[in-house]
Amino acid sequence: MRHYFHRREPENTENVEIQEQWQITYWTQKLNVTQERLRQAIVNVGSNKAEVHRWLKTHPAMRKALNAPQCVYQHGAIISCEKRAPGRPKKQRQVAATSSGTED
């Protein structure tokens, strides 16, 4: 017999409550935002869902810098970081080999 996973939903969906982890997970997925942005919205406008949604639309997330370091995480800790070169990598040109010197 299969047991299907049932995702918890808040009883009152008019207010964004984030006291428990399942509430944070629900609202970040529902509003398609990060936990940090969700907290920023609640701090700025309160917990009303309509106000939080409006704030998120009028304050778009900052884009990641092109030359930001590319980090690998494991269990919340950084394992390695590589700094990417700004812009696109340039194509390497192959120079045709020419003979130097005099011919016989």
Side-chain angles (χ1 to χ4, degrees):
M1 174 191 282
R2 290 188 179 184
H3 295 283
Y4 293 99
F5 181 73
H6 178 68
R7 191 171 297 273
R8 290 177 75 175
E9 293 186 14
E11 292 177 15
N12 180 7
T13 58
E14 293 302 314
N15 291 322
V16 179
E17 299 293 333
I18 57 170
Q19 279 92 23
E20 297 184 35
Q21 184 59 46
W22 68 267
Q23 293 170 323
I24 295 169
T25 302
Y26 174 82
W27 286 111
T28 54
Q29 290 177 352
K30 185 81 170 172
L31 298 171
N32 195 27
V33 294
T34 63
Q35 182 176 341
E36 181 182 338
R37 293 227 336 115
L38 181 62
R39 287 186 191 277
Q40 285 177 343
I42 293 171
V43 165
N44 284 303
V45 297
S47 64
N48 183 287
K49 183 177 96 173
E51 292 294 322
V52 169
H53 189 63
R54 188 175 301 120
W55 188 89
L56 290 169
K57 279 191 165 189
T58 57
H59 296 84
M62 293 178 60
R63 290 187 170 196
K64 194 174 186 179
L66 290 177
N67 60 350
Q70 188 74 17
C71 297
V72 177
Y73 295 89
Q74 184 176 15
H75 304 293
I78 297 176
I79 295 194
S80 66
C81 280
E82 294 178 3
K83 183 147 181 140
R84 292 190 284 176
R88 292 186 190 173
K90 293 183 179 179
K91 291 183 179 178
Q92 294 180 350
R93 289 195 287 163
Q94 292 181 346
V95 179
T98 57
S99 61
S100 62
T102 60
E103 290 184 21
D104 292 323

